[in-house]
Amino acid sequence: MRRRSLAALRLTSALRAPRKVPRAAAGGPGDGAADTAAPEEPGAAVERLRAENARLRRALAGRPVIEQARGILMATEECTADQAWDILRQTSQHANLKVREVAGEVVADATGTVPPGPVRTHLREAVRQHRAARRKAS
């Protein structure tokens, strides 16, 4: 039996299986439209898989920095991994930055580089809220 890569299996299954179309996209319920559309074109399937692959590679590249930042926050703020994630997420939302960018700033700050003003301000606020919640719980 020949082994195939996961990408090859996805491509093969994407080319064989018809794509389901939501009823709303087909024109609504009761319009006589079929629940499935014509099979996806091979070129479109390949492009869709390439885009997904690129997105997953970017996400995977950002994970080590995020995990380092979580570890730094866990050590400095005496919090759990989930609480450290919440601090990063909250800072990301308020500073309008990606979580990996905020994590990079936390790691840079731990190594002696000062993060930019907005990130520093939002990070301090998220940490302050975490500390207040911790004090309230104890």
Side-chain angles (χ1 to χ4, degrees):
M1 178 185 238
R2 202 171 103 199
R3 297 179 105 184
R4 289 185 170 181
S5 70
L6 183 58
L9 289 174
R10 281 187 182 164
L11 179 58
T12 304
S13 64
L15 295 175
R16 288 185 189 157
R19 304 266 316 202
K20 292 207 181 242
V21 176
R23 286 186 181 258
D31 69 349
D35 285 342
T36 59
E40 189 174 18
E41 292 294 321
V46 169
E47 287 306 313
R48 183 177 51 79
L49 288 171
R50 282 186 179 145
E52 179 184 7
N53 190 17
R55 183 182 55 80
L56 290 172
R57 285 183 187 274
R58 282 191 305 273
L60 192 58
R63 291 306 298 175
V65 173
I66 292 171
E67 293 303 320
Q68 286 175 350
R70 285 174 74 180
I72 290 167
L73 288 171
M74 290 167 60
T76 59
E77 300 304 321
E78 298 176 3
C79 61
T80 66
D82 289 338
Q83 291 168 334
W85 172 255
D86 289 340
I87 291 170
L88 289 172
R89 183 186 47 79
Q90 182 181 358
T91 304
S92 167
Q93 289 174 349
H94 290 277
N96 198 22
L97 295 170
K98 302 252 184 223
V99 171
R100 69 176 172 264
E101 293 172 5
V102 173
E105 298 300 335
V106 170
V107 171
D109 184 39
T111 60
T113 307
V114 179
V119 174
R120 186 174 48 239
T121 303
H122 293 297
L123 187 60
R124 281 183 190 154
E125 179 60 23
V127 168
R128 187 193 62 73
Q129 289 177 3
H130 165 71
R131 287 178 182 163
R134 191 175 59 199
R135 278 193 302 269
K136 184 177 180 183
S138 43

